[in-house]
Amino acid sequence: MGGRLKVQAVSRVGLDPLVEMAEHLRNLLPGWEGSAPVESRRVPTDLRLDLGHLAHFDTDGFLIASQDSTVVGFLPSYVRSRQLVLTQPWILPEAREEGVADVLIRRALAFGERSGATDSIAHLLGGGPDEAAAFRFGLRPRFPVYRLRLAAEPARQVGSELAKLLPGRELDPDELSRRSGAADLERMDRATRGISRPMDHEYWLTQRFLRFAKIKEGQRLVGYAYGGAGQCGPVVGTTREAALAGLGWALQFAGEAPGTAWVDVLVPAPFEAAIEQLLDAI
């Protein structure tokens, strides 16, 4: 394409063209065919909502690359506590040979260093070029994340069985509005993920309008789960049983959403017990 590559933060350009680019490019990835929004539907996609959240809270890490005033790619990244997270880079196919991914990753890592991050990870949807670019900057594979698709009814059924592993309860709207137990959620996030993310919990509840359940063992809170239209999770558990029970609640929430035909679940490879249960339900 030629021309000097310029990188800037998202606040300097509109978000809508970036969302449309990402929705189109995701639809081209293996396994994501059919994920592009249908023109007749006015419901925002998960990608539009997620990118809007990051653009609002993590402007300095949401980096856009352009050549001759044309956006050729972008990379949202964010810092939670001292962890930098690089999400999927969205780059036009015709700009792949321009080294756009390398430039964006380099700038994102610099942003993380300025922000005091001591750990850097990448969440990639797939694609050899993206994996190779991350590898060049020392972002070695930790584990794959499986994307499994279940029909809504089997998802509800397996979710109901898993949720029985430990006592759990969905919070009602009044409890959610009071953010009861926020300190417990932060404790679990720090224990299981090493981060604190109150702005993300606020987003899942007030913008994604996800349902929410807590899992207990005795009197102690040991897990939580979100789920709803177009989203199964996130799920956190301080024990194997708590995580499986949380997955059960998330599957039920996602499978019960109005108009839902399929439930997509993202499961890290180390969570073998969950993968086994889900594969049996497919």
Side-chain angles (χ1 to χ4, degrees):
M1 295 181 65
R4 180 174 175 270
L5 191 65
K6 181 180 180 181
V7 178
Q8 59 189 19
V10 69
S11 58
R12 301 183 186 180
V13 297
L15 186 63
D16 284 350
L18 303 180
V19 172
E20 293 172 4
M21 176 191 295
E23 290 173 340
H24 172 73
L25 292 174
R26 182 172 69 170
N27 193 55
L28 300 178
L29 292 174
W32 291 89
E33 300 88 350
S35 63
V38 179
E39 291 185 6
S40 60
R41 294 186 63 189
R42 297 184 179 275
V43 179
T45 63
D46 60 329
L47 197 52
R48 177 174 291 275
L49 292 168
D50 289 349
L51 291 176
H53 171 60
L54 294 178
H56 177 72
F57 279 101
D58 305 281
T59 302
D60 291 341
F62 198 127
L63 303 174
I64 303 164
S66 58
Q67 286 180 328
D68 300 325
S69 301
T70 299
V71 174
V72 295
F74 69 96
L75 169 61
S77 64
Y78 58 92
V79 172
R80 295 292 180 266
S81 299
R82 291 188 175 274
Q83 183 181 81
L84 170 71
V85 181
L86 288 77
T87 69
Q88 174 68 24
W90 303 105
I91 300 168
L92 295 178
E94 56 268 31
R96 278 286 177 189
E97 302 302 320
E98 303 290 328
V100 177
D102 286 26
V103 173
L104 287 171
I105 291 174
R106 184 181 298 110
R107 291 287 294 270
L109 291 173
F111 156 71
E113 185 176 353
R114 293 194 305 272
S115 301
T118 56
D119 183 32
S120 299
I121 62 173
H123 292 168
L124 304 179
L125 298 184
D130 296 329
E131 297 280 355
F135 201 92
R136 286 194 291 272
F137 286 89
L139 295 166
R140 300 293 190 264
R142 297 189 181 184
F143 48 78
V145 177
Y146 294 102
R147 178 170 174 257
L148 305 175
R149 168 164 284 195
L150 287 74
E153 184 56 32
R156 289 193 293 267
Q157 291 174 357
V158 69
S160 177
E161 291 303 312
L162 289 174
K164 296 175 183 177
L165 289 172
L166 283 175
R169 183 176 66 88
E170 180 181 2
L171 272 65
D172 61 37
D174 181 60
E175 291 173 301
L176 293 176
S177 67
R178 290 187 279 107
R179 302 294 185 269
S180 60
D184 287 329
L185 300 186
E186 183 168 337
R187 172 182 60 79
M188 283 189 291
D189 283 338
R190 289 191 178 278
T192 60
R193 300 284 300 274
I195 60 171
S196 176
R197 48 181 180 177
M199 70 287 289
D200 298 326
H201 287 284
E202 184 77 10
Y203 164 65
W204 294 321
L205 291 173
T206 64
Q207 295 184 50
R208 293 300 301 270
F209 301 106
L210 299 179
R211 295 166 68 182
F212 177 75
K214 292 182 177 181
I215 297 94
K216 286 190 173 183
E217 190 168 21
Q219 296 299 313
R220 189 167 183 266
L221 189 66
V222 293
Y224 68 75
Y226 288 92
Q231 183 160 329
C232 180
V235 169
V236 163
T238 57
T239 66
R240 173 182 176 275
E241 289 73 20
L244 284 171
L247 175 62
W249 281 96
L251 286 166
Q252 291 180 90
F253 291 156
E256 291 170 358
T260 296
W262 299 94
V263 173
D264 290 326
V265 191
L266 298 176
V267 186
F271 197 4
E272 295 180 2
I275 296 172
E276 180 180 0
Q277 294 286 340
L278 294 170
L279 288 176
D280 285 342
I282 291 177

